Amino acid sequence: MHSAHLSRREALLQLTTVALAGAAAYTGPVIANTFARNPFSLGVASGSPAADGFVLWTRVIDPDLDGKSALRIDWEVLESDSPRVVAKGKALAMPGLAYAVHVEVTGLESDRWYRYRFHAGGAVSEIGRTRTLPDPASNPTRLRFAYASCQRWEDGYYAAYRSMATEELDLVVFVGDYIYEYKSRPARDAVRTHHLPEAQTLQDYRDRYALYRSDRLLQKMHATCPWLVTWDDHEVENDYASHYSISGTLDLAARRIAAYQAFYEHMPLRASTLLAGLPGLREEGALRLYQAFDFGRLARLYVLDDRQYRGAPLCGSKPEAPLTEVCQRESTNERTMLGRAQEKWLAQAMEGASRAGTEWNFIFQQTGFTPRNYARGAGKGFSRDGWDGYWPARQRLIDTIVASVIRNPVVIGGDIHRNWVANVHRDPYDVTSTVIASEFCGTSISSRNRSSLDREARIRAANPHCLLTNAERRGYGVVEVTAKRTKVDLRVVEDIKREDSSVSTLSSFVVERDQPRIREAESSIDRISRG
Ligand code: FE
Ligand code: CA
């Protein structure tokens, strides 16, 4: 191993880059290694796009890294169709951030595709593709994105991503459960296994992300286009709610800090999401994920965080338990899902979109939004962990959508491991009230759902606002947006046990401009009636 210490002047020059990368001021040693094997084995990623740039991500893994010295990394951005380098620079991969780098590139052309790669000590990463957003004042004719969630390692292969990489997407929105914190399911109950302990410490969570990112198909999808990301519960622990653990974790605060840091380290996020820098992660609300992205005036994408700030779980959060009067009393109008600051920000962001005349408004959050009555009679069986457990907050969000008069709101979520397509009513418990938005939720990239077709049919019958519920299939949704309409294709994996599984379309839906009530796309009606 060769290492070359930088001069003090060089090191000082690089402090700017370090500060941008969100690390604390760094004055320690810097090395430039030569690697015996590929240090970029976790691949590359990009995200947080703007009209003039984006975040480029990689994490270097090598047994020779001592965990004390920073590593010098070079990055470059190339034109999409020529080898011309349009931007380049140096970054420091910091031991305090698991040798991950988050390069914030600016000064590029809007609405344009680029390629990028990293170099370190003679090694070169694979090349990624990414793009800038259109100018916020422009009127793009089309946006095409995928939404995805829930990719438990043991439950299946990521064939979904092999297919997604061919969809010619502008971006991917990942809405949570990127990792699962558990120890592996036993081999008899798993498609594939791992050997990691249940994640508790920073090192555990880092190892977990490294495991997931070792998957070639997931890497491929990250290298294909920019991702917008938020999290759900399993990035920390099952069904946690802000500071409340239902798993009996004694020190949830410590677990949260470790998990949040590892999440930041592994996602293409801007340093500004760390409101008080890395040491500030201990402070309340210190990792701010919620933000909005404009795809010109065609669409505003709101990425929300309904985990970090939510109120205590209702009635102990026992899933699908009957709603008792005691529970009803526990739920007051103060009950929050997003927290007051985010609610206020969202209302302002929606008013802004309304003023700008933005055509479509996509609200990404982590869980099921409309009521999901589990067929035991109205109000008697539902999930405590989704918006059903926080219905006053849901009503408040609906009120905000209505008051803002944003055009064409569409809610997109994950968590429920089933495809769920539903109309959002002004009063979500009254299907005779006006439809004010549409909802597309799930399914999962790989995480299982053991529900049956019969049970899903009963659930659908008990939820007249629901057009489709299907828990059988894993996959993702593809959303194509034009000024006139939004079309959603539900893609499903044929065999989750196969890395090379084919992917097909379960069904397709359309939302016409100014008509939030969802309709089935002509092409998919046959398929549904046969199902
Ligand atoms: Fe999940
Ligand atoms: Ca979840």
Side-chain angles (χ1 to χ4, degrees), residues 27 29 44 46 102 145 161 187 225 228 242 259 267 284 302 316 356 374 376 387 395 416 426 435 469 479 482 516 520:
T27 52
V44 299
S46 73
H102 304 71
F145 67 83
Y161 286 129
C225 67
L228 313 182
S242 57
M267 295 296 150
E284 191 63 34
Y302 309 84
Y374 284 113
R376 292 177 198 159
W387 289 87
Q395 191 59 59
I416 61 177
R426 182 73 181 83
V435 175
T469 176
V479 182
T482 61
E520 288 167 19

Side-chain angles (χ1 to χ4, degrees), residues 53-73:
F54 31 68
V55 174
L56 303 180
W57 176 95
T58 192
R59 177 185 164 195
V60 169
I61 290 215
D62 189 86
D64 284 342
L65 292 168
D66 63 5
K68 296 187 191 80
S69 311
L71 175 75
R72 199 178 135 152
I73 291 188

Side-chain angles (χ1 to χ4, degrees), residues 127-427:
I127 201 152
R129 284 174 82 243
T130 192
R131 62 161 300 153
T132 53
L133 295 177
D135 185 279
S138 68
N139 292 294
T141 53
R142 193 189 83 146
L143 161 65
R144 193 171 155 83
F145 67 83
Y147 61 91
S149 62
C150 296
Q151 51 189 18
R152 187 160 175 175
W153 178 267
E154 308 98 285
D155 284 356
Y157 287 105
Y158 297 157
Y161 286 129
R162 180 196 299 282
S163 161
M164 196 191 284
T166 68
E167 298 270 10
E168 296 183 18
L169 303 172
D170 293 301
L171 49 94
V172 171
V173 189
F174 195 89
V175 292
D177 290 357
Y178 191 96
I179 57 160
Y180 284 70
E181 78 282 18
Y182 302 122
K183 68 178 169 54
S184 182
R185 293 191 204 275
R188 64 181 149 72
D189 194 29
V191 174
R192 51 179 170 173
T193 58
H194 65 77
H195 300 286
L196 300 173
E198 176 164 344
Q200 310 265 4
T201 66
L202 178 56
Q203 191 57 49
D204 293 342
Y205 284 104
R206 285 172 169 171
D207 292 345
R208 190 62 53 113
Y209 283 100
L211 169 75
Y212 280 57
R213 277 288 174 83
S214 71
D215 186 285
R216 293 296 304 168
L217 296 176
L218 177 56
Q219 282 185 22
K220 165 94 177 135
M221 197 58 231
H222 274 293
T224 299
C225 67
W227 286 39
L228 313 182
V229 295
T230 187
W231 53 28
D232 194 29
D233 52 337
H234 289 289
E235 282 85 352
V236 180
E237 69 170 37
N238 182 44
D239 282 1
Y240 87 100
S242 57
H243 292 291
Y244 304 93
S245 172
I246 65 150
S247 314
T249 299
L250 293 177
D251 196 353
L252 180 63
R255 194 175 195 183
R256 247 180 62 148
I257 292 164
Y260 282 18
Q261 179 171 339
F263 182 83
Y264 174 77
E265 286 171 352
H266 292 84
M267 295 296 150
L269 292 169
R270 291 181 185 275
S272 58
T273 56
L274 289 173
L275 291 184
L278 201 54
L281 264 182
R282 303 197 153 269
E283 289 166 28
E284 191 63 34
L287 184 48
R288 181 184 148 160
L289 290 180
Y290 62 85
Q291 56 185 319
F293 299 86
D294 283 333
F295 201 85
R297 292 168 67 236
L298 180 61
R300 179 166 284 187
L301 314 176
Y302 309 84
V303 179
L304 305 187
D305 175 0
D306 77 23
R307 264 306 145 190
Q308 187 173 184
Y309 317 100
R310 60 164 71 183
L314 192 61
C315 300
S317 188
K318 198 166 178 223
E320 303 179 30
L323 176 65
T324 65
E325 277 179 40
V326 180
C327 290
Q328 300 253 29
R329 281 202 300 275
E330 272 183 37
S331 193
T332 70
N333 289 336
E334 295 308 304
R335 218 169 143 61
T336 183
M337 189 72 155
L338 301 176
R340 294 298 159 181
Q342 186 176 191
E343 281 188 9
K344 195 172 162 203
W345 164 84
L346 183 58
Q348 285 169 352
M350 285 180 173
E351 281 161 24
S354 189
R355 274 195 304 277
T358 302
E359 204 72 53
W360 294 89
N361 287 271
F362 291 93
I363 302 156
F364 298 93
Q365 42 77 52
Q366 18 289 115
T367 61
F369 189 68
T370 53
R372 206 166 58 260
N373 174 9
Y374 284 113
R376 292 177 198 159
K380 283 195 176 157
F382 63 87
S383 165
R384 295 283 179 273
D385 188 58
W387 289 87
D388 274 342
Y390 296 80
W391 65 90
R394 173 171 59 201
Q395 191 59 59
R396 226 165 27 244
L397 177 48
I398 289 172
D399 294 348
T400 301
I401 290 171
V402 171
S404 71
V405 290
I406 49 170
R407 304 186 63 189
N408 306 308
V410 179
V411 180
I412 291 182
D415 179 51
I416 61 177
H417 303 182
R418 53 159 65 76
N419 269 303
W420 176 267
V421 177
N423 291 312
V424 181
H425 288 265
R426 182 73 181 83
D427 172 354

Side-chain angles (χ1 to χ4, degrees), residues 104-117:
E104 299 188 19
V105 184
T106 57
L108 301 177
E109 300 283 331
S110 65
D111 200 15
R112 191 163 293 200
W113 283 94
Y114 292 96
R115 297 178 299 148
Y116 62 95
R117 66 185 162 207

Side-chain angles (χ1 to χ4, degrees), residues 10 85 91 196 288 292 296 330 332 347 444 494 525:
E10 266 181 297
V85 173
L196 300 173
R288 181 184 148 160
E330 272 183 37
T332 70
S444 53
E494 293 299 321
I525 288 173

